[in-house]
Amino acid sequence: VSWRQAAYEIARAAFFADPRVKSETKEIFRRVALQGEDPQQVASLLGISRNAVDQIKDRSLRRIRAHVEELAENPCRTS
């Protein structure tokens, strides 16, 4: 496992453990980004727009990537 992959896994775990992140946000990210489910189908099941699903996924990815970059700048910090 590369350093970057390990940092991504830490950042992803922190995202899912963060109580400030809504459970619906976590579910959408898990289903669309990690499990590859169709965004339109997820939107329909949750009663929200496809655009909302895309925005939630994109914002979640940005948050995780930002945490990875933070870890790169300061590897001793894990949260």
Side-chain angles (χ1 to χ4, degrees):
V1 175
S2 71
W3 182 92
R4 193 128 185 110
Q5 181 63 32
Y8 174 78
E9 290 174 14
I10 290 168
R12 189 175 66 194
F15 170 81
F16 281 106
D18 190 337
R20 297 170 297 177
V21 178
K22 294 179 182 179
S23 60
E24 182 180 71
T25 297
K26 293 174 186 178
E27 179 182 358
I28 290 167
F29 180 76
R30 178 183 51 78
R31 293 176 78 163
V32 175
L34 301 180
Q35 296 177 339
E37 289 187 40
D38 177 58
Q40 182 60 53
Q41 184 178 15
V42 172
S44 295
L45 289 170
L46 296 176
I48 61 176
S49 72
R50 161 71 189 260
N51 187 49
V53 168
D54 291 339
Q55 287 180 355
I56 289 168
K57 183 190 94 173
D58 290 344
R59 288 178 186 148
S60 299
L61 282 171
R62 279 198 303 269
R63 183 179 186 149
I64 291 168
R65 287 180 187 135
H67 194 169
V68 169
E69 293 306 315
E70 186 178 312
L71 289 171
E73 292 171 8
N74 186 2
C76 295
R77 185 168 178 226
T78 59
S79 61

